[in-house]
Amino acid sequence: MSIIEPRVLKGFRDFLPEQEILRSALIEKLTDAFKRCGFVPIDTPVLEYEEILLGKGGGETEKQVYRFTDHGGRAVAMRFDLTVPFARFMALHAHELYLPFKRYHIAKVWRGENTQRGRYREFMQCDFDMVGSDTAASDFEIVYTIYTALSNLAIPAFTINLNHRGIFNRFLASQGILDRSVEILRTVDKLEKIGRDATHEQLAELTNPALADKLLAFIELKGDNLTILSGMTQLAGGEADDTKRIRAILDLAQASGFEQSLRLNPSITRGLDYYTGVVFETFINAMPEIGSICSGGRYNDLASLYTKQHIPGVGASVGLDRLIAALEALEVKVPVSGYCQALILNLDDTLLTDYVCCAKSLRDAGIACEVYPETKKIQLQFTYAEKKAIPFAIIRGETEHEKNIWVLKNLDTRNSVDYTSLEALVQAFAQTNMQRNS
RNA sequence: GUGGAUGUAGCUCAGCGGUAGAGUCCCAGAAUGUGGAUCUGGUCGUCGCGGGUUCGAACCCCGUCAUCCACCCCA
């Protein structure tokens, strides 16, 4: 009988325990941050009707979406982000909910695009949005949640880049080139990647050399955030709601003490065309080339595809897999704990009752542990513990049984401590464990 | 989707037309007798997959799959 070659699809991955433990630890920390900021969880189906996800049809996304006909002949598609399903969700359930509504949604999404490091066909997004409020307070809440969530992950220094599409569009309008805003936005977005000269060249092609100079002057404004803001205000033709909104967000960030992580950046525009107000992109300072690890913005008409009700919203999404790829590239070790804490060595068949009782006592005390299931050579049992990153071994062989002691061995330092009773062992272990976790 | 690079033992890689290699890991054994040193022996490869050229291919050619890089787009 022939064997089927085991393999996974391009851009799809298996996760071994070491990776999955890291992923779940990061998800836990993100969830914790979202909850602290007042967001509640929801979930939606992986599959939606194709028309729901594709809407009026958007060139690029349409090419990337996984689509097929189900067994009932329905045209269906796999979600490629969590925002569009959320818009459908709001249109369907607005009457059962309340506004403003703040939700987080951590789930896999699928895009059939070409792969690269940190770019996969199946990946996890961690979305958080607030809908039903178009205020500086709600914009700020998302920025603050980005800051809280990423800070909670203890990742290297990051910068949240902030911009407002309205200001840029006013500037384009004043130059009479608002009709080409989409192309100009896409080009401007590449400034930090392709450099000043190439950007100028492309902008000149879209407009003319003189306008390209002006565009570059706008997106290359330098200085602290307030200086940049005043420069943008001037070039856009004066104060308006958009500049006031940015100023309010900057003030709130300052009051909250994280203005050093927030940068007003006129070259950040976001390719997605549904953004209507503030936009954000977040980069790890030491690894900008991996791309944005958390992006989002304000979209005031998103649910309009599915309802006549006007539901403004603002939100962002952490790209967990891209973030992990960056952490790997930077060789950042994220400490994780909470998995098996102790291996009870199996040294003597006749002592199995002792081992099982020990495991029960530890488990009752909330300590994760396991009994090695075979009386194999002790070296093998140690090797097993090491591979599984189990920090402690509990040793009780013939000698220890005669002396009626339990030995707790720290597998890292290789020091052993004797205990005269199981209770003493469990108690000591619990204390050690608390110290490790604190 | 377009262009380029890569794909050899579990891992890191060498070999680049003539009988598959090294280090590491793993397994068994010696000594330790609650393991990081040392010694002895050993297992493991459809050379990504399929086809072609050749007396003969891991090595050349074509296709295909996957990974990485650039473009595109984006988390």
Side-chain angles (χ1 to χ4, degrees):
Chain A
M1 186 174 137
S2 68
I3 288 174
I4 298 167
E5 188 187 350
R7 53 189 186 150
V8 295
L9 284 164
K10 175 187 177 76
F12 288 69
R13 299 161 297 160
D14 284 329
F15 297 98
L16 299 180
E18 192 184 352
Q19 304 163 292
E20 190 58 19
I21 286 171
L22 170 64
R23 285 161 59 81
S24 60
L26 293 177
I27 288 170
E28 205 171 298
K29 288 171 195 283
L30 286 173
T31 303
D32 171 64
F34 297 155
K35 283 161 77 174
R36 266 193 282 150
C37 293
F39 292 82
V40 293
I42 68 161
D43 197 13
T44 66
V46 167
L47 286 182
E48 297 268 3
Y49 282 100
E50 182 184 279
E51 62 176 15
I52 295 285
L53 293 188
L54 296 181
K56 292 157 187 165
E60 281 304 324
T61 49
E62 192 162 350
K63 277 188 269 175
Q64 296 182 356
V65 175
Y66 282 99
R67 304 150 66 178
F68 57 92
T69 304
D70 77 2
H71 295 166
R74 301 172 190 86
V76 298
M78 292 166 80
R79 63 180 176 219
F80 59 90
D81 74 1
L82 300 176
T83 307
V84 174
F86 180 48
R88 192 271 304 150
F89 175 96
M90 284 309 298
L92 202 56
H93 300 293
H95 64 286
E96 302 166 61
L97 295 165
Y98 45 83
L99 294 178
F101 180 62
K102 298 166 72 174
R103 78 90 174 82
Y104 70 90
H105 189 184
I106 300 175
K108 282 180 172 175
V109 301
W110 294 267
R111 291 182 197 173
E113 65 175 338
N114 246 346
T115 54
Q116 236 171 78
R117 181 175 56 175
R119 300 178 56 163
Y120 310 99
R121 291 189 166 178
E122 176 181 64
F123 59 97
M124 186 79 76
Q125 283 200 324
C126 312
D127 269 38
F128 47 102
D129 289 77
M130 182 187 324
V131 296
S133 169
D134 182 5
T135 59
S138 50
D139 285 345
F140 172 76
E141 179 76 338
I142 295 300
V143 176
Y144 184 76
T145 303
I146 295 174
Y147 175 75
T148 305
L150 295 181
S151 299
N152 210 33
L153 296 180
I155 61 172
F158 59 88
T159 301
I160 304 168
N161 288 269
L162 171 72
N163 195 16
H164 195 299
R165 279 214 173 153
I167 305 176
F168 194 65
N169 281 336
R170 279 203 289 135
F171 171 65
L172 293 181
S174 74
Q175 303 299 319
I177 48 177
L178 186 56
D179 57 321
R180 274 158 283 174
S181 68
V182 173
E183 292 85 348
I184 292 171
L185 286 172
R186 291 224 167 111
T187 308
V188 158
D189 209 32
K190 288 188 275 187
L191 173 66
E192 302 199 7
K193 193 166 189 177
I194 66 175
R196 185 178 201 283
D197 294 343
T199 307
H200 186 278
E201 192 179 321
Q202 292 188 15
L203 286 173
E205 276 175 32
L206 283 170
T207 58
N208 60 56
L211 275 173
D213 286 341
K214 287 188 179 177
L215 285 164
L216 272 177
F218 184 88
I219 64 176
E220 286 192 316
L221 285 166
K222 293 280 189 293
D224 61 34
N225 287 335
L226 290 176
T227 307
I228 293 172
L229 178 58
S230 67
M232 292 169 73
T233 305
Q234 195 179 354
L235 287 168
E239 287 276 347
D241 286 347
D242 45 29
T243 51
K244 287 176 190 160
R245 178 67 65 92
I246 290 290
R247 184 179 301 280
I249 293 169
L250 292 175
D251 286 348
L252 290 168
Q254 175 135 33
S256 305
F258 70 96
E259 73 277 8
Q260 76 288 342
S261 297
L262 186 63
R263 175 184 164 208
L264 180 59
N265 183 343
S267 76
I268 293 292
T269 63
R270 313 278 303 124
L272 295 176
D273 48 12
Y274 54 66
Y275 291 117
T276 55
V278 293
V279 290
F280 353 92
E281 290 196 352
T282 310
F283 297 92
I284 293 178
N285 296 356
M287 176 137 298
E289 64 271 21
I290 198 87
S292 172
I293 55 162
C294 180
S295 306
R298 173 164 289 284
Y299 43 84
N300 274 344
D301 298 311
L302 195 69
S304 65
L305 277 176
Y306 320 108
T307 179
K308 287 175 182 168
Q309 193 180 348
H310 179 66
I311 306 175
V314 58
S317 179
V318 176
L320 190 69
D321 295 281
R322 181 175 283 188
L323 176 62
I324 290 170
L327 294 179
E328 279 173 3
L330 291 169
E331 294 178 352
V332 174
K333 295 281 175 241
V334 179
V336 293
S337 62
Y339 289 85
C340 195
Q341 293 296 299
L343 178 68
I344 299 157
L345 300 193
N346 191 335
L347 303 171
D348 190 331
D349 269 338
T350 65
L351 297 177
L352 185 56
T353 308
D354 282 4
Y355 302 148
V356 168
C357 289
C358 176
K360 177 183 171 7
S361 298
L362 285 169
R363 287 166 177 169
D364 286 349
I367 297 159
C369 65
E370 65 179 307
V371 179
Y372 196 83
E374 298 178 36
T375 52
K376 277 199 180 171
K377 270 170 55 173
I378 197 160
Q379 287 93 335
L380 288 177
Q381 301 194 36
F382 280 131
T383 304
Y384 172 82
E386 192 174 317
K387 280 202 171 147
K388 209 166 168 179
I390 300 174
F392 290 95
I394 290 165
I395 300 163
R396 186 168 163 95
E398 197 180 344
T399 325
E400 290 79 8
H401 180 66
E402 281 167 11
K403 291 197 266 179
N404 195 28
I405 58 169
W406 295 82
V407 179
L408 178 63
K409 175 159 178 164
N410 182 320
L411 294 177
D412 185 35
T413 64
R414 305 204 171 190
N415 294 326
S416 298
V417 181
D418 295 355
Y419 293 95
T420 54
S421 74
L422 194 50
E423 291 71 29
L425 171 77
V426 172
Q427 192 178 3
F429 198 110
Q431 279 169 2
T432 316
N433 222 31
M434 277 169 62
Q435 284 165 9
R436 285 167 53 86
N437 289 338
S438 62

